Amino acid sequence: MEQQQLLHFCDSKHPLVFIPDYRGGVTCRGCQESIHGPHYWCKESGCPWYAHHKSCAEVPLGLHHPLHPIHPLILSPEQIDYGKDIQFSNCKLCNESRNQYTYRCSRCDFNLHITCASLAPTTMEPDFHHHRLTPFWKWATFTCDLCGKKDEGTPYLCHLCDFWIHGRCSVFPRRVKVVRHKHLLHLTHSSLEVHQPDPQFCQLCVQKLDTHYALYYCSICDFVAHLNCAILRENKEDINLLEFKDEDEVPQLNESIDSVTYKVNKFNTREDGTQIAAEIKHFSHEHVLKLTDDEVLNNQKCYACVRAILPPFYSCVNCSFFLHESCAKLPQKKKHPLHRHPLTLLPTSPDPSKTFECYACERTCNGFNYRCETCSFSLDVQCSLISDILTHPGHEHRLILSSIASYQNCSCCDSKIYPILRCTTCEFALDFKCATLPHTTRYGQHDHPFTLCYTAENDSNEYYCDICEEERDSKHWFYYCADCSYPAHLSCILGKYPNRMFGVVYKFECHPHPLIIIEEAKDHPKCDICGDPCEELIYQCAQCNFNMHYYCV
C-alpha cells in the first residue's frame, strides 16, 4: 500500500510521508511541541526530518480571521530567512515571540501564531464562575477582572455580570493546596469576601496584592496569595484535591511518628523528676553516645549542624564524634515551606565528595542534611529550622519567607540571593545566610566570645575590622567582643568555610585507607588524581602521604 504524502513548503525537494501513529516525541516544526500521534516527516537521508503534527502540516496557507478582517493572513514559517531588515512583532493574541509558524499580514505587521489563530470554542465554562463566558471577537482594550492587567486583545466575557478575562486566565483552578498552608485556598474575585483591609501581602512572595482583583484565599485563616504564586509548581502541594472538602484541614507530616533517629539505652532522672536519655544509639554513628554537661576542648563542632559544641551534648567514648542534644532529636522526616516533598535526614551527603550545597543559603556543607531524593533538594540543619515566619533579634518586625526571586538585597550583607525573608512593614530583607548566623561564637585563641551585633558600635563614622584591618560597612552586621572593644567582619570570624567541618574521616573507593579532610596545606602537595597542587579543601591520608582535591573524588 502506497504511503500518503504531502508536498509542503518546508521541503522543496521531497514530499513529506504520513505516519498514522508516531510515539517518538520529536519536536514539530510548526508549533514546536512534541509529537505523539499522527505526523508527517521527510524520510530522505540528509534532510533535517521536517517533522510535523498532521494538523500543523495541513494548515491552510492563507486565511481570513475575525481579529484582522480587512486583509488576508499568509502563513509564514519562522525558519525562512526574510533578511536582516525584516523585524517580526509579537503575536497579537498571546503577545509572545515564538519560533513557530505564523499567520502574517505584512502590510499591517499583524501576526498570529498558528496555535493562536485557531478559533477558540464559542463558549467557556470556567470552574470559578457561575455563568458561561463567550469570546469577544473584536480587538479591545480591557482590564482582566481576574489578574487585573490592562491589555489589548480578545477577551472572554460574561454578558450577565459584565465580567471580562483573558483566555489564558480561564485555566486557574477553583481550589489549590499550597505547601505553606494547611487548608485549601479558593479562587476569589470579590474583595468583599476578604476579611482584612488593604494593604495586603501575598503570603508566598511577600509582595503587595490588590484585593480588588482575583486571588487565592483561605477564609479560615485570612491567608492570601497571588494567582500565579499559588499555582507555581514548587508552591503547590502534590495531592489529589478531590479527596478533600473545602473546609478540610489537609493532614500534615507528623514528625514525631516513625521519625525518631535514635534508640535510648539508658535513662537518668533529673531533680525535678523528668527523665533524660543519658545513653543513646543514634542512626548516624556506629558507637553508643553519652550525654554530658562537660566543657569541650579544642573548639569541637557538632557533626549535625557544624556549630561549636556547647553543653549539653552527646559524645562518643570511642572517637571524636559530637552531637548537640537538640540535634540528636532532629526528626528523620520533615516538611519544609521551601519544598513540596517530604525531606529525609541524612548523616552524610550522597555526593561523592561527601559535601552538598544548601538550597537556602548556597553554602557547601558536610554536616547532616535534609534531602529530597526525588529532586536532589538539600537543606543544612540550620536552614531547615527556619520556618515561613521568623522573629529575629536583629529586626523589630516579623519576617515572612518569600520563595521567589526578590528585587531586594539582604539588608545585612547586601547579597542578592533567594529565597529571602522580607518585612511587610519596612524595606528590610534577610537572606538565610544571615538568618542562621550564630548569635555568639569564638575565634581562634581569643579569650572572650564574640557577639553578633546589628548596629554600629559608635557614631565615629570610621569602622574597621580588627582582624583584617579593612574597612567595614556600618550598615552590615558584624561580630564584636565587648570586653576588648574588638569588632570584626562576619567572614573574618567564621572563616571561609563556616559550614564545613575539618578533621573528619571519610572512606572512598579510590583509596584503601581512611582520608581526613583538611582546610589547607601550606606546602601545596600535588593531587594524586589530577596532578595539580592542593591548596585548600584537601582529602589527605596520614598513612601513605596521599593527597586529593575534594572535587577529584
Side-chain angles (χ1 to χ4, degrees), residues 198-214:
D198 281 339
Q200 271 286 9
F201 283 82
C202 170
Q203 301 290 312
L204 300 177
C205 70
V206 201
Q207 307 217 14
K208 284 188 177 180
L209 186 151
D210 189 345
T211 57
H212 294 92
Y213 295 98

Side-chain angles (χ1 to χ4, degrees), residues 43-95:
K43 65 179 183 179
E44 296 296 328
S45 176
C47 275
W49 281 70
Y50 293 126
H52 292 75
H53 291 106
K54 182 177 185 293
S55 58
C56 292
E58 295 176 350
V59 293
L61 296 179
L63 56 79
H64 289 273
H65 199 278
L67 287 179
H68 193 69
I70 57 174
H71 302 126
L73 303 180
I74 307 301
L75 186 64
S76 301
E78 285 287 312
Q79 288 84 359
I80 291 179
D81 182 9
Y82 289 94
K84 295 182 180 180
D85 296 333
I86 301 283
Q87 292 286 334
F88 273 76
S89 62
N90 291 358
C91 170
K92 291 295 184 182
L93 194 60
C94 69
N95 200 32

Side-chain angles (χ1 to χ4, degrees), residues 1-256:
M1 182 177 176
E2 188 176 347
Q3 286 184 302
Q4 181 180 338
Q5 295 183 346
L6 174 72
L7 292 174
H8 197 273
F9 60 76
C10 72
D11 190 346
S12 59
K13 298 178 181 178
H14 316 116
L16 303 184
V17 176
F18 179 66
I19 305 295
D21 189 17
Y22 175 75
R23 300 294 172 187
V26 70
T27 300
C28 172
R29 301 277 290 194
C31 68
Q32 301 300 313
E33 299 290 338
S34 297
I35 301 175
H36 297 280
H39 95 301
Y40 284 94
W41 72 297
C42 179
K43 65 179 183 179
E44 296 296 328
S45 176
C47 275
W49 281 70
Y50 293 126
H52 292 75
H53 291 106
K54 182 177 185 293
S55 58
C56 292
E58 295 176 350
V59 293
L61 296 179
L63 56 79
H64 289 273
H65 199 278
L67 287 179
H68 193 69
I70 57 174
H71 302 126
L73 303 180
I74 307 301
L75 186 64
S76 301
E78 285 287 312
Q79 288 84 359
I80 291 179
D81 182 9
Y82 289 94
K84 295 182 180 180
D85 296 333
I86 301 283
Q87 292 286 334
F88 273 76
S89 62
N90 291 358
C91 170
K92 291 295 184 182
L93 194 60
C94 69
N95 200 32
E96 293 182 4
S97 176
R98 295 195 295 264
N99 186 28
Q100 64 171 251
Y101 293 171
T102 301
Y103 282 106
R104 173 171 171 78
C105 173
S106 58
R107 294 168 65 182
C108 306
D109 192 22
F110 181 94
N111 301 281
L112 282 179
H113 294 133
I114 59 169
T115 51
C116 296
S118 58
L119 294 180
T122 55
T123 61
M124 176 190 295
E125 298 185 39
D127 201 16
F128 51 80
H129 195 69
H130 301 300
H131 309 128
R132 290 183 178 182
L133 305 181
T134 56
F136 186 73
W137 281 114
K138 281 192 176 181
W139 206 255
T141 299
F142 70 102
T143 299
C144 176
D145 285 315
L146 277 188
C147 69
K149 292 180 180 178
K150 188 174 181 179
D151 209 345
E152 291 183 350
T154 55
Y156 281 80
L157 67 139
C158 174
H159 294 280
L160 297 173
C161 305
D162 195 26
F163 180 74
W164 300 61
I165 66 168
H166 293 111
R168 63 178 180 267
C169 288
S170 65
V171 300
F172 287 114
R174 183 175 65 86
R175 306 187 305 169
V176 295
K177 171 67 178 69
V178 296
V179 176
R180 303 260 291 272
H181 194 65
K182 59 186 177 182
H183 301 123
L184 301 182
L185 304 183
H186 298 263
L187 193 150
T188 302
H189 49 84
S190 171
S191 59
L192 298 177
E193 298 180 40
V194 181
H195 300 158
Q196 295 184 4
D198 281 339
Q200 271 286 9
F201 283 82
C202 170
Q203 301 290 312
L204 300 177
C205 70
V206 201
Q207 307 217 14
K208 284 188 177 180
L209 186 151
D210 189 345
T211 57
H212 294 92
Y213 295 98
L215 48 85
Y216 280 106
Y217 180 58
C218 171
S219 59
I220 301 172
C221 309
D222 278 340
F223 184 101
V224 290
H226 287 120
L227 298 178
N228 288 324
C229 291
I231 65 168
L232 280 176
R233 183 177 180 274
E234 54 266 33
N235 288 335
K236 284 176 63 178
E237 191 86 55
D238 194 10
I239 61 171
N240 182 5
L241 294 177
L242 298 178
E243 297 177 359
F244 301 96
K245 297 179 180 178
D246 289 353
E247 65 276 7
D248 283 350
E249 183 173 317
V250 180
Q252 302 294 300
L253 176 68
N254 191 333
E255 296 175 0
S256 63

Side-chain angles (χ1 to χ4, degrees), residues 280 282 284-285 287-328 330 347 366-368 381 501-504:
I280 65 171
H282 197 269
S284 66
H285 194 63
H287 305 131
V288 171
L289 306 178
K290 292 185 177 181
L291 188 66
T292 178
D293 290 321
D294 298 337
E295 292 290 335
V296 69
L297 302 176
N298 301 324
N299 295 323
Q300 294 285 2
K301 290 186 175 182
C302 171
Y303 269 64
C305 66
V306 198
R307 293 286 171 86
I309 278 290
L310 299 171
F313 60 89
Y314 287 100
S315 63
C316 177
V317 295
N318 297 318
C319 56
S320 297
F321 183 90
F322 302 92
L323 280 182
H324 290 121
E325 184 182 20
S326 57
C327 290
L330 290 168
N366 62 346
F368 287 10
V381 167
M501 188 160 41
F502 297 102
V504 182

